[in-house]
Amino acid sequence: MLKFIIRRVGAAIGILFGASLLLYVLVINSGDPLEDLRESNAENREYLIQQRIEFMNLDVPWYQRYWDWLAGVGKCFALQCDLGTNRSGVSVDSLLALAASSTLRLVLLATVLALIIGIAIGILTAIRQYSGLDYGVTFATFLFFSLPVFWAAVLLKEYMAIGYNDWLRDPDFTLGQILVIAAIAGFLMQVFLAGSLRRRILTFAVTAVFIGAALPTLLALGYFREPRLGYVGVALLTFAVALSATAMSVGLKTRKVLYPALITAALVSVLQIVLVNVFVYYMNWWIMAAGLALAFVIPWFIGHSMGGRYKGTAAGVSMTTGVVGAGLTVLDHFFRSWPGFLDLKPRPISTIGSQTPNFAGGFWETALDYGTQLILPTILLTVISLASYSRYTRASMLEVSRQDYIRTARSKGLPERTVIFRHAFRNALIPIATIAAFDFAALIGGAVITETVFGWKGMGELFITGLDQVDPAPVMAFFLVTGTAAILFNLLADIFYAILDPRIRV
Amino acid sequence: MRLKRISMAVAAGAALGLALSACAPTDAGDGGNGEANGGSADQSIAVSIGPNDFVSYNGFTPESYSTYNSGIVDRMQAGFYNFGTEGEIIPNEDLGSYEMVSEDPMVVEYTISDDAVWSDGTPITVADAVLAWTVQNAKLTSGDSPLFNSVSQDLGDDVPEGPQGDPAGKKFTVEFAEPNPDWEIQVWMLHPAHVVAEQAGMSIEEFVQAARDGDAEALAPAAEFWNTGWHTNPGTLPDEAQVPVSGPYKFGSWEAGQSLTLVPNENYYGEQAANDELVFRFVDQGAMVQALDNGDLDVIAPQPTVDTLSQLEGLGDAVNIHQRDTLTWEHLDFNFVDGALFADNLELRKAFAMCVPRQQIVENLIQPINPEAQVLNAREVFPFQENYEEVVSASYEGQYDEVDIEGAKAIVDEQGAAGTEVRIGYSAPNPRRTDQVAMIKSSCDQAGFKIVDAGNADFFQPGGTQERGDYEVALFAWAGSGQITSGENIYATGKPQNYGEYSNPEVDEAWGRLTTSLDESVHLEETKNIEKLLWDDLFGIPLFAHPGLDASASDIENVEGTATQDQIVWNAHEWHRAE
């Protein structure tokens, strides 16, 4: 394995070197770096041109410029990277750090979401092959896939930002709108839950009536401007999660699982009240992360120690309860901060930027600000990359389901869930791993348009501006990161293969 | 079986959630969360002039000098003059006054207001003018290159002695080596000398002395700081003590790639800014209109296209649209290089001018953006300037107002030039220029020319089409800078911007008279003279002034477009949100 990795890394460095040389030459020959000055009739135009030639070393041969750049990169091995400066004399190192952090924020969430949702859709459509759901979801994902990003972005801004903000000023639904929303929700619900015609009609009716009643109630309560769960709400929902998770895994009669789940729920319900001051006054990202870790660890411990022969399941159910409960508590605090946030930012969803300039809120308001700024680009990036994940998962699942070992597993009498997740899905994941690895590397560089239309200064922006100004340093910095990421993720995918598939030996 | 359980769980959860929402506490925000204090200032105004990030407090180096950076630093640096919206020069009486005390030798006396101070309280003095002169003095060198890496390098030659006066005083005189018609727009106030001197480890007196002595060695540390000391990494503003300002605004905060905020300079000696906060956001032009609609931006400078205009018009009363001509103007220039088709053939140039559909170009391409646009009939003055009519009537008889295919065809036939290829070169891609060439082609082909669209990406590049001379007519624009003398570089023999190598001794002489005179009536007479010579000789054909398009939310008062390169933010200190 080690030898394999070393060989691959060696080849990777060779490829990066060759590609960097090629790219450098292509970039410096891609246009005229003095273009903007040539049409200027400032009286000192000649001088400005001369200064820029000197500053960008336009008068030295290409191999020397490349060598200068390479020498700067070489210093990275001594941990003193010097990626040069851009045309305005700004250090590319600092530009790259900023661009990479904002792109990662944008891309990481979108990729993870796309991966989870895409794979879920893929499994669902594979299980219900050739159903209405299958056709509908396939149609929708392909529709999203083929959306031109800039156009979809404009639509998102128009309806989800401008339209939503206008609506939020005084939230209201007409009767017709309520009926339509209820009907759509009912229709979607029966598509997802499926079953016999009678069941479908029932599902539709129940959902539609529920939504039809819920919307006016929420409006009357001013829920859209002042949402809330409250202590009681969080507690009851957490207990509901504990009960339903138990019911879905082993059934409510299995006390060894039910009790730890209920204890976890009780713990969450107590802690959310006890720790309220921490949440309100002392919250920061470290506490949040530590809390999340504890929400995993403590329930695991409870489940593990009380579960007896069901300890695996009990730990799983308790952890689910714990994490969802903690999540609900956090959600509750976001809800509580929403009215204050609306005072600070009356139009919450903005169309540009990664944060509101000079935003003055506390932890919760600032987090809401980041979230509301992130929501549109994330939706866009997620939606357009759903298609590939869901289609690959579906195809891969269908292929695996036809294998002999799946039939064997079924004939052994294993529950369908075990067959699908343990036997089929695990094997179906292998091709997905490759695609996800490639995709992530591509997304880092590929969010150019999304970044531009939403006013994020990320990697794509670095690349496109550099190329536009025939300025090699930023373009090469972009290349270093994306090229390295592509190679690294491929390597990871190869290693991941070996873990997933025992047949692969390296 | 399980499906039933799932549906039940979902239904139960939903019902529960709904029921609970009713009994939740109604007092939203429990204590600490509600620290919202009304939020950002009501008089916070967000503006975007483009996607480019801020670069440096010192926007006077070639690297940091750009319209985007100037849009920000010009709000913080006062000068002795400002440009009005039509390119006219308006003295800035807040900072001080100036008058010409002698014409030959040409001496100008500047008086800095007594109450003019930097934002840190230090009085603005003659030493600051000495700094402004020093950085523009190319005689100070370090090796082969100028000591101060400044965009402007000619004050050292123009004013050899620099500003004369007590460095700590408020009055100084400058003596020009030769009369300079553009004397009013020389830059005598840039950066705080006391900061530069301190950073260089000198006293102000030492600095001024070294500058007047031309002692490059002693000034080296000062130059080092001036060249690089104010250039910080994105998102990091220089230490406040290093960046005192002389204008109505000072730095607030900078979020790299996102926004830069200016706040009023409370020590400003002129009228205080009418708003509490000016937020420059770095936004792509294509995203500006929706951002304006959503209230993310209050003032925008989007791309002046028909599409942008119709989007803005779609927003109705919520926005004010500011349309106008700018000082950038489009023109067709003939190639006069030896052997070129039009070089020695005035008749053929006339024929070409007769068939160019100028009116149609303006009507189809420009008026949709600026309904008041008209065909441009001059090169040195613009339709919105007061002496335009006078100059045009003295220099141009309207002979090319109407397309005259028959007349052009007669000349072409007479010259035996029927079917001659005319390559119109421009820097591509540029859809509007492609459209113009297409219109010229459909008109001039009827007259017997064979117009070829020779637009390509390397038109202006070294070794490109323009340099090789592989064109008959060049189509491009000049950006006017408000200078009186800059045209000499374009029209006089052997000058660097005279791309077509046009040469006419009479034009050269007229420019010589213009650039050495300080008399405005001489300027006007010579401008008329030059315009007439250029029309008679058909140096080229002016087409139109580029349209400018800005927009602002309708509750922001005092926003006004400008023709100059100062952009929409030129009077940002007067912007005010209506109560």
Side-chain angles (χ1 to χ4, degrees), chain B residues 167-210:
Chain B
K170 291 272 188 185
K171 241 186 215 319
F172 64 93
T173 56
V174 292
E175 183 179 331
F176 285 81
E178 282 165 33
N180 184 341
D182 286 319
W183 60 276
E184 274 190 278
I185 58 172
Q186 302 302 323
V187 175
W188 292 111
M189 190 52 62
L190 275 173
H191 300 123
H194 62 283
V195 172
V196 174
E198 189 193 325
Q199 293 295 322
M202 318 162 84
S203 70
I204 290 198
E205 293 73 27
E206 283 166 359
F207 170 78
V208 170
Q209 198 53 48

Short mmCIF file of all heavy atoms in Angstrom, two decimals, chain B residues 167-210:
data_model
loop_
_atom_site.label_atom_id
_atom_site.label_comp_id
_atom_site.label_asym_id
_atom_site.label_seq_id
_atom_site.Cartn_x
_atom_site.Cartn_y
_atom_site.Cartn_z
N PRO B 167 7.60 75.27 5.22
CA PRO B 167 6.99 73.93 5.27
C PRO B 167 5.88 73.84 6.30
O PRO B 167 4.93 73.08 6.11
CB PRO B 167 8.16 73.03 5.68
CG PRO B 167 9.39 73.78 5.37
CD PRO B 167 9.05 75.23 5.42
N ALA B 168 5.96 74.61 7.37
CA ALA B 168 4.93 74.53 8.39
C ALA B 168 3.82 75.53 8.13
O ALA B 168 2.85 75.62 8.88
CB ALA B 168 5.54 74.76 9.77
N GLY B 169 3.95 76.32 7.04
CA GLY B 169 2.98 77.37 6.76
C GLY B 169 1.85 76.89 5.89
O GLY B 169 1.70 75.71 5.60
N LYS B 170 1.02 77.86 5.49
CA LYS B 170 -0.18 77.52 4.74
C LYS B 170 -0.16 78.10 3.32
O LYS B 170 -1.13 77.96 2.60
CB LYS B 170 -1.40 78.08 5.49
CG LYS B 170 -1.69 77.38 6.81
CD LYS B 170 -2.58 76.17 6.58
CE LYS B 170 -3.06 75.56 7.89
NZ LYS B 170 -3.83 74.33 7.65
N LYS B 171 0.90 78.80 2.95
CA LYS B 171 0.95 79.45 1.64
C LYS B 171 2.15 78.95 0.86
O LYS B 171 3.24 78.86 1.40
CB LYS B 171 1.10 80.96 1.85
CG LYS B 171 -0.03 81.79 1.29
CD LYS B 171 0.33 83.25 1.45
CE LYS B 171 -0.84 84.17 1.73
NZ LYS B 171 -2.08 83.96 1.04
N PHE B 172 1.96 78.61 -0.41
CA PHE B 172 3.14 78.28 -1.22
C PHE B 172 2.92 78.72 -2.66
O PHE B 172 1.79 78.91 -3.11
CB PHE B 172 3.46 76.79 -1.15
CG PHE B 172 2.40 75.87 -1.72
CD1 PHE B 172 2.44 75.46 -3.05
CD2 PHE B 172 1.37 75.40 -0.91
CE1 PHE B 172 1.48 74.60 -3.56
CE2 PHE B 172 0.40 74.55 -1.42
CZ PHE B 172 0.45 74.15 -2.74
N THR B 173 4.04 78.89 -3.35
CA THR B 173 3.94 79.24 -4.76
C THR B 173 4.67 78.17 -5.57
O THR B 173 5.61 77.54 -5.10
CB THR B 173 4.63 80.59 -5.05
OG1 THR B 173 5.98 80.50 -4.61
CG2 THR B 173 3.91 81.72 -4.37
N VAL B 174 4.18 77.95 -6.78
CA VAL B 174 4.88 77.04 -7.68
C VAL B 174 5.17 77.79 -8.97
O VAL B 174 4.33 78.53 -9.48
CB VAL B 174 4.04 75.78 -7.96
CG1 VAL B 174 3.92 74.94 -6.72
CG2 VAL B 174 2.67 76.12 -8.49
N GLU B 175 6.37 77.58 -9.47
CA GLU B 175 6.77 78.27 -10.70
C GLU B 175 6.99 77.24 -11.79
O GLU B 175 7.83 76.34 -11.68
CB GLU B 175 8.05 79.07 -10.46
CG GLU B 175 8.45 79.86 -11.69
CD GLU B 175 9.71 80.69 -11.45
OE1 GLU B 175 9.96 81.09 -10.30
OE2 GLU B 175 10.43 80.92 -12.44
N PHE B 176 6.18 77.33 -12.84
CA PHE B 176 6.30 76.38 -13.94
C PHE B 176 7.44 76.78 -14.87
O PHE B 176 7.65 77.97 -15.13
CB PHE B 176 4.99 76.34 -14.74
CG PHE B 176 3.88 75.59 -14.04
CD1 PHE B 176 3.12 76.21 -13.06
CD2 PHE B 176 3.61 74.27 -14.36
CE1 PHE B 176 2.11 75.53 -12.41
CE2 PHE B 176 2.60 73.58 -13.70
CZ PHE B 176 1.85 74.21 -12.74
N ALA B 177 8.16 75.79 -15.37
CA ALA B 177 9.26 76.07 -16.28
C ALA B 177 8.73 76.65 -17.58
O ALA B 177 9.33 77.53 -18.19
CB ALA B 177 10.05 74.79 -16.55
N GLU B 178 7.60 76.15 -18.03
CA GLU B 178 6.96 76.67 -19.24
C GLU B 178 5.49 76.86 -18.94
O GLU B 178 4.92 76.13 -18.13
CB GLU B 178 7.09 75.66 -20.38
CG GLU B 178 8.44 75.65 -21.04
CD GLU B 178 8.61 74.42 -21.89
OE1 GLU B 178 7.62 73.94 -22.45
OE2 GLU B 178 9.75 73.94 -21.96
N PRO B 179 4.86 77.81 -19.63
CA PRO B 179 3.42 77.98 -19.41
C PRO B 179 2.69 76.65 -19.66
O PRO B 179 3.00 75.97 -20.63
CB PRO B 179 3.03 79.04 -20.43
CG PRO B 179 4.29 79.78 -20.70
CD PRO B 179 5.40 78.79 -20.56
N ASN B 180 1.78 76.32 -18.79
CA ASN B 180 1.10 75.03 -18.89
C ASN B 180 -0.40 75.24 -18.79
O ASN B 180 -0.91 75.57 -17.72
CB ASN B 180 1.61 74.14 -17.75
CG ASN B 180 1.03 72.74 -17.84
OD1 ASN B 180 0.03 72.51 -18.50
ND2 ASN B 180 1.67 71.82 -17.16
N PRO B 181 -1.13 75.07 -19.89
CA PRO B 181 -2.57 75.32 -19.84
C PRO B 181 -3.30 74.42 -18.85
O PRO B 181 -4.38 74.75 -18.39
CB PRO B 181 -3.04 75.01 -21.27
CG PRO B 181 -1.81 74.99 -22.10
CD PRO B 181 -0.68 74.61 -21.21
N ASP B 182 -2.71 73.27 -18.53
CA ASP B 182 -3.36 72.36 -17.60
C ASP B 182 -2.89 72.59 -16.17
O ASP B 182 -2.98 71.69 -15.33
CB ASP B 182 -3.09 70.90 -18.01
CG ASP B 182 -3.90 70.52 -19.23
OD1 ASP B 182 -5.08 70.91 -19.28
OD2 ASP B 182 -3.37 69.84 -20.11
N TRP B 183 -2.41 73.79 -15.88
CA TRP B 183 -1.85 74.05 -14.56
C TRP B 183 -2.83 73.82 -13.43
O TRP B 183 -2.47 73.40 -12.35
CB TRP B 183 -1.32 75.49 -14.47
CG TRP B 183 -2.37 76.55 -14.70
CD1 TRP B 183 -2.80 77.01 -15.90
CD2 TRP B 183 -3.11 77.25 -13.71
NE1 TRP B 183 -3.77 77.96 -15.73
CE2 TRP B 183 -3.99 78.13 -14.39
CE3 TRP B 183 -3.14 77.24 -12.32
CZ2 TRP B 183 -4.87 78.98 -13.73
CZ3 TRP B 183 -4.02 78.09 -11.65
CH2 TRP B 183 -4.88 78.93 -12.36
N GLU B 184 -4.12 74.04 -13.72
CA GLU B 184 -5.11 73.93 -12.63
C GLU B 184 -5.28 72.50 -12.13
O GLU B 184 -5.68 72.28 -10.99
CB GLU B 184 -6.48 74.43 -13.11
CG GLU B 184 -6.66 75.91 -12.96
CD GLU B 184 -8.11 76.29 -13.23
OE1 GLU B 184 -8.49 76.41 -14.41
OE2 GLU B 184 -8.86 76.41 -12.26
N ILE B 185 -5.03 71.54 -13.01
CA ILE B 185 -5.30 70.16 -12.59
C ILE B 185 -4.03 69.40 -12.24
O ILE B 185 -4.00 68.17 -12.29
CB ILE B 185 -6.13 69.39 -13.64
CG1 ILE B 185 -5.43 69.38 -14.99
CG2 ILE B 185 -7.52 69.99 -13.78
CD1 ILE B 185 -6.11 68.48 -15.99
N GLN B 186 -2.99 70.12 -11.87
CA GLN B 186 -1.83 69.44 -11.31
C GLN B 186 -2.16 69.05 -9.88
O GLN B 186 -2.91 69.74 -9.19
CB GLN B 186 -0.58 70.34 -11.35
CG GLN B 186 -0.22 70.83 -12.74
CD GLN B 186 0.03 69.69 -13.72
OE1 GLN B 186 0.58 68.66 -13.36
NE2 GLN B 186 -0.40 69.87 -14.96
N VAL B 187 -1.58 67.93 -9.44
CA VAL B 187 -1.92 67.42 -8.11
C VAL B 187 -0.92 67.94 -7.08
O VAL B 187 0.26 67.60 -7.12
CB VAL B 187 -1.91 65.87 -8.12
CG1 VAL B 187 -2.14 65.34 -6.71
CG2 VAL B 187 -2.97 65.37 -9.07
N TRP B 188 -1.42 68.77 -6.16
CA TRP B 188 -0.55 69.35 -5.13
C TRP B 188 -0.90 68.86 -3.74
O TRP B 188 -0.40 69.38 -2.75
CB TRP B 188 -0.62 70.88 -5.16
CG TRP B 188 -0.02 71.45 -6.40
CD1 TRP B 188 -0.67 72.05 -7.42
CD2 TRP B 188 1.37 71.43 -6.77
NE1 TRP B 188 0.20 72.42 -8.41
CE2 TRP B 188 1.46 72.06 -8.04
CE3 TRP B 188 2.53 70.97 -6.17
CZ2 TRP B 188 2.66 72.21 -8.71
CZ3 TRP B 188 3.73 71.12 -6.83
CH2 TRP B 188 3.80 71.74 -8.09
N MET B 189 -1.80 67.91 -3.66
CA MET B 189 -2.17 67.43 -2.33
C MET B 189 -2.53 65.95 -2.43
O MET B 189 -3.45 65.60 -3.17
CB MET B 189 -3.37 68.23 -1.79
CG MET B 189 -3.69 67.99 -0.35
SD MET B 189 -2.31 68.18 0.79
CE MET B 189 -1.88 69.90 0.55
N LEU B 190 -1.75 65.10 -1.76
CA LEU B 190 -2.02 63.68 -1.83
C LEU B 190 -2.08 63.06 -0.44
O LEU B 190 -3.13 62.77 0.09
CB LEU B 190 -0.91 62.96 -2.63
CG LEU B 190 -1.02 62.92 -4.13
CD1 LEU B 190 0.26 62.34 -4.71
CD2 LEU B 190 -2.20 62.06 -4.55
N HIS B 191 -0.89 62.86 0.11
CA HIS B 191 -0.77 62.08 1.33
C HIS B 191 -0.16 62.92 2.45
O HIS B 191 0.47 63.95 2.18
CB HIS B 191 0.09 60.84 1.06
CG HIS B 191 -0.48 59.96 0.00
ND1 HIS B 191 0.20 59.61 -1.14
CD2 HIS B 191 -1.70 59.39 -0.10
CE1 HIS B 191 -0.56 58.84 -1.89
NE2 HIS B 191 -1.72 58.70 -1.29
N PRO B 192 -0.31 62.47 3.68
CA PRO B 192 0.21 63.24 4.83
C PRO B 192 1.73 63.14 4.92
O PRO B 192 2.29 62.05 5.12
CB PRO B 192 -0.45 62.56 6.04
CG PRO B 192 -0.80 61.19 5.58
CD PRO B 192 -1.05 61.27 4.11
N ALA B 193 2.40 64.28 4.79
CA ALA B 193 3.86 64.29 4.85
C ALA B 193 4.36 63.89 6.23
O ALA B 193 5.39 63.24 6.36
CB ALA B 193 4.39 65.68 4.49
N HIS B 194 3.58 64.25 7.29
CA HIS B 194 4.09 63.95 8.64
C HIS B 194 4.16 62.44 8.87
O HIS B 194 5.04 61.96 9.57
CB HIS B 194 3.25 64.65 9.71
CG HIS B 194 1.81 64.24 9.77
ND1 HIS B 194 0.87 64.68 8.86
CD2 HIS B 194 1.15 63.43 10.62
CE1 HIS B 194 -0.31 64.17 9.18
NE2 HIS B 194 -0.17 63.39 10.24
N VAL B 195 3.25 61.68 8.23
CA VAL B 195 3.30 60.22 8.39
C VAL B 195 4.50 59.65 7.63
O VAL B 195 5.26 58.82 8.16
CB VAL B 195 1.99 59.58 7.90
CG1 VAL B 195 2.12 58.07 7.87
CG2 VAL B 195 0.84 60.00 8.79
N VAL B 196 4.69 60.13 6.39
CA VAL B 196 5.80 59.62 5.60
C VAL B 196 7.13 59.93 6.28
O VAL B 196 7.99 59.06 6.41
CB VAL B 196 5.77 60.23 4.18
CG1 VAL B 196 7.00 59.81 3.40
CG2 VAL B 196 4.50 59.79 3.45
N ALA B 197 7.25 61.17 6.75
CA ALA B 197 8.51 61.56 7.41
C ALA B 197 8.75 60.71 8.66
O ALA B 197 9.85 60.19 8.88
CB ALA B 197 8.46 63.04 7.79
N GLU B 198 7.69 60.52 9.43
CA GLU B 198 7.85 59.75 10.66
C GLU B 198 8.25 58.31 10.36
O GLU B 198 9.14 57.74 10.99
CB GLU B 198 6.53 59.78 11.44
CG GLU B 198 6.65 59.21 12.83
CD GLU B 198 5.29 58.95 13.45
OE1 GLU B 198 4.36 59.74 13.19
OE2 GLU B 198 5.15 57.94 14.16
N GLN B 199 7.59 57.72 9.37
CA GLN B 199 7.90 56.33 9.02
C GLN B 199 9.32 56.20 8.48
O GLN B 199 9.92 55.14 8.56
CB GLN B 199 6.91 55.81 7.98
CG GLN B 199 5.49 55.66 8.50
CD GLN B 199 5.40 54.62 9.59
OE1 GLN B 199 6.06 53.58 9.51
NE2 GLN B 199 4.61 54.87 10.62
N ALA B 200 9.81 57.30 7.87
CA ALA B 200 11.17 57.26 7.33
C ALA B 200 12.20 57.63 8.39
O ALA B 200 13.40 57.66 8.11
CB ALA B 200 11.27 58.20 6.14
N GLY B 201 11.74 57.93 9.59
CA GLY B 201 12.66 58.29 10.65
C GLY B 201 13.27 59.67 10.47
O GLY B 201 14.42 59.91 10.84
N MET B 202 12.53 60.60 9.84
CA MET B 202 13.05 61.95 9.64
C MET B 202 12.08 62.92 10.29
O MET B 202 10.92 62.59 10.54
CB MET B 202 13.12 62.31 8.15
CG MET B 202 13.63 61.21 7.26
SD MET B 202 13.21 61.49 5.51
CE MET B 202 14.53 62.57 5.02
N SER B 203 12.55 64.14 10.50
CA SER B 203 11.61 65.18 10.89
C SER B 203 11.04 65.75 9.60
O SER B 203 11.58 65.55 8.51
CB SER B 203 12.32 66.27 11.68
OG SER B 203 13.16 66.99 10.79
N ILE B 204 9.91 66.47 9.73
CA ILE B 204 9.30 67.05 8.53
C ILE B 204 10.27 68.00 7.84
O ILE B 204 10.38 68.02 6.62
CB ILE B 204 7.99 67.77 8.90
CG1 ILE B 204 6.95 66.72 9.28
CG2 ILE B 204 7.51 68.63 7.76
CD1 ILE B 204 5.54 67.21 9.26
N GLU B 205 11.00 68.79 8.66
CA GLU B 205 11.94 69.75 8.07
C GLU B 205 13.01 69.02 7.27
O GLU B 205 13.37 69.44 6.16
CB GLU B 205 12.61 70.61 9.16
CG GLU B 205 11.66 71.55 9.89
CD GLU B 205 10.73 70.83 10.86
OE1 GLU B 205 11.11 69.74 11.36
OE2 GLU B 205 9.59 71.31 11.08
N GLU B 206 13.52 67.92 7.86
CA GLU B 206 14.55 67.15 7.14
C GLU B 206 14.01 66.62 5.82
O GLU B 206 14.65 66.65 4.78
CB GLU B 206 15.03 65.97 8.00
CG GLU B 206 15.99 66.36 9.11
CD GLU B 206 16.16 65.23 10.13
OE1 GLU B 206 15.51 64.18 9.97
OE2 GLU B 206 16.93 65.43 11.06
N PHE B 207 12.77 66.14 5.89
CA PHE B 207 12.17 65.59 4.69
C PHE B 207 12.03 66.66 3.61
O PHE B 207 12.43 66.47 2.46
CB PHE B 207 10.78 64.99 5.00
CG PHE B 207 10.01 64.62 3.78
CD1 PHE B 207 10.31 63.44 3.10
CD2 PHE B 207 9.02 65.45 3.28
CE1 PHE B 207 9.63 63.10 1.94
CE2 PHE B 207 8.33 65.11 2.12
CZ PHE B 207 8.64 63.94 1.46
N VAL B 208 11.49 67.81 3.99
CA VAL B 208 11.29 68.88 3.01
C VAL B 208 12.64 69.33 2.44
O VAL B 208 12.78 69.54 1.23
CB VAL B 208 10.55 70.07 3.66
CG1 VAL B 208 10.54 71.27 2.75
CG2 VAL B 208 9.13 69.65 4.01
N GLN B 209 13.62 69.42 3.31
CA GLN B 209 14.94 69.85 2.85
C GLN B 209 15.51 68.86 1.83
O GLN B 209 15.98 69.23 0.76
CB GLN B 209 15.88 69.98 4.06
CG GLN B 209 17.12 70.81 3.78
CD GLN B 209 16.76 72.18 3.20
OE1 GLN B 209 15.89 72.88 3.72
NE2 GLN B 209 17.38 72.54 2.08
N ALA B 210 15.41 67.56 2.19
CA ALA B 210 15.94 66.53 1.29
C ALA B 210 15.19 66.56 -0.04
O ALA B 210 15.78 66.41 -1.12
CB ALA B 210 15.82 65.15 1.94
#
